[in-house]
């Protein structure tokens, strides 16, 4: 039987011509399988209500067409309630845009480069809050006045152009204002510790921004780089517990590519961080993702005890070799296009119709979970992974394990024979797992994760 191979989607995320070693996307836009714009818009009622169950099934079959990916993700990530109307969502959207503008202005008051179309890649203050008189910083803050400084920095050399290329984004007077704020010590007796901590991260955000998805033509534009920096800078300010950590730029980058409005992209990223921020939370004793690595070890021990024992013998029982996969959700293991395809399938599989209310009104959601009066969520509106958790009572005692863990477990299971036969040390484990880059099929990986999830729930129940 002849099967439609589908149309490639790489053209929606154009790669720079000099980047010849970028893996080709396996994702194909297939009629009747991929969620199309026509199918998406037809699923709404005239008032704007969305039957999310139909959408979830279609996404699980063939992903989302790139032209509507951004607006579909807003629902998958819990930005909006499918049971809301067009008017209700527009009110929420405008309220959020206003809130983001307020936060951004707050950041701009502390450091006027925010929102200027530029960003920094060198420290702007010392750990005790004193301004740094670095020529790189001065040239990035006031490119007109310091155009002759400095000689190309390492970051500029790696990036191929100065990060302050957009000299028109700021007037001479405003540039001077920024310069004065950087050069002059603050008038306050004591600088707020949170503000110091935030300012200390700004250059690190800049360094990560210039390294993020640099193979894409999209990031040849200064305005897109600065937009990514602005969003991450604002998020670092409002999330006092976590702030900014390396890896967040990889999670945020797709949002600004898919959503034109900066505020909408910010809120999509913020919702994604609701799921993942625990991985980034650090204490003096541990990194948040260690808990997930411990869960991964428990899954592997149940699913493939021989492999788990072998990894422990090699000194890899802490599963740190899987750190990157979990922190940035397989961004390094897949092409850009395929990673987006993987993400939307993951979110569709674990979709919970209570997601919006959980984020908007956590107290009400908790009351509902504890058995207070309220409409029980329909299992039909849940993703396939979430339905399995509900059937097995996984939510009765503690939060269920995320599907990302089972995706990593499926990769390990797939490479089990090779790891058992060829891995004689942790370097071998890392090398074997690095070889999967660009060679994993996102849909098959999700199917494998679902099978392992079922097996895990079944075996974990046994005494």
């Amino acid at each position: 039987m002849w099967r439609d191979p589908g149309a490639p989607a790489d053209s929606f995320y154009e790669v720079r011509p000099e980047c010849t070693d970028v893996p080709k996307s396996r994702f194909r836009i297939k009629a009747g399988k991929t969620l199309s714009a026509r199918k998406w818009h037809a699923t709404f009622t005239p008032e704007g209500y969305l039957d999310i169950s139909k959408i979830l099934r279609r996404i699980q079959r063939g992903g989302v067409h790139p032209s509507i990916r951004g607006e579909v993700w807003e629902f998958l990530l819990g930005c909006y309630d499918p049971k809301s109307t067009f008017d209700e969502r527009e009110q929420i959207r405008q309220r959020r845009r206003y809130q983001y503008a307020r936060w951004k202005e707050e950041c701009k008051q502390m450091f006027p480069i925010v929102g200027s179309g530029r960003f920094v890649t060198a420290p702007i203050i010392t750990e005790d809050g004193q301004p740094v008189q670095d020529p790189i910083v001065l040239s990035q803050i006031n490119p007109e006045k310091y155009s002759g400084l400095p000689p190309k920095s390492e970051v500029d050399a790696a990036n191929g152009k100065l990060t302050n290329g957009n000299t028109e984004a700021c007037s001479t007077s405003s540039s001077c204002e920024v310069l004065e704020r950087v050069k002059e010590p603050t008038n306050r007796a004591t600088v707020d510790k949170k503000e110091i901590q935030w300012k200390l991260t700004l250059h690190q955000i800049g360094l990560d921004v210039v390294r993020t998805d640099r193979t894409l033509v999209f990031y040849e534009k200064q305005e897109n780089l600065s937009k990514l920096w602005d969003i991450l800078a604002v998020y670092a300010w409002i999330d006092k517990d976590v702030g900014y950590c390396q890896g967040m730029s990889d999670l945020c980058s797709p949002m600004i590519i898919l959503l034109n409005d900066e505020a909408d992209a910010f809120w999509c990223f913020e919702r994604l961080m609701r799921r993942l921020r625990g991985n980034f939370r650090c204490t003096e004793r541990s990194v948040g993702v260690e808990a997930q690595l411990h869960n991964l070890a428990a899954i592997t021990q149940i699913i493939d005890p021989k492999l788990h024992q072998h990894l422990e013998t090699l000194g890899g029982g802490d599963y740190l070799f899987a750190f990157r996969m979990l922190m940035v959700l397989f961004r390094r293991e897949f092409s850009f296009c395929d990673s987006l395809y993987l993400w939307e399938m993951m979110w569709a599989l674990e979709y919970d119709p209570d997601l919006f209310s959980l984020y908007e009104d956590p107290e009400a959601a908790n009351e509902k979970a504890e058995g207070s009066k309220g409409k029980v969520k329909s299992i039909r509106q849940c993703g396939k992974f979430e339905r399995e958790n509900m059937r097995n009572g996984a939510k009765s005692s503690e939060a269920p394990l995320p599907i990302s863990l089972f995706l990593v477990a499926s990769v390990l299971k797939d490479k089990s024979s090779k790891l058992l036969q060829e891995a004689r040390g942790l370097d071998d484990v890392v090398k074997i797992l690095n070889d999967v880059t660009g060679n994993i099929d996102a849909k098959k990986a999700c199917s494998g994760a679902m099978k392992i999830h079922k097996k895990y729930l079944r075996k974990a129940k046994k005494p």
Side-chain angles (χ1 to χ4, degrees), residues 295-313:
N295 289 330
L296 176 61
I299 293 170
T300 308
Q301 188 172 20
I302 289 175
I303 299 302
D304 195 339
K306 283 186 179 180
L307 177 60
H308 177 73
Q309 182 59 49
H310 183 59
L311 292 171
E312 280 205 323
T313 302

Side-chain angles (χ1 to χ4, degrees), residues 142-162:
N142 195 335
E144 294 175 350
K145 185 172 181 179
Y146 292 89
S147 58
L149 292 172
K152 268 192 176 294
S153 68
E154 293 179 9
V155 173
D156 293 332
N159 188 23
K161 62 179 182 179
L162 286 171

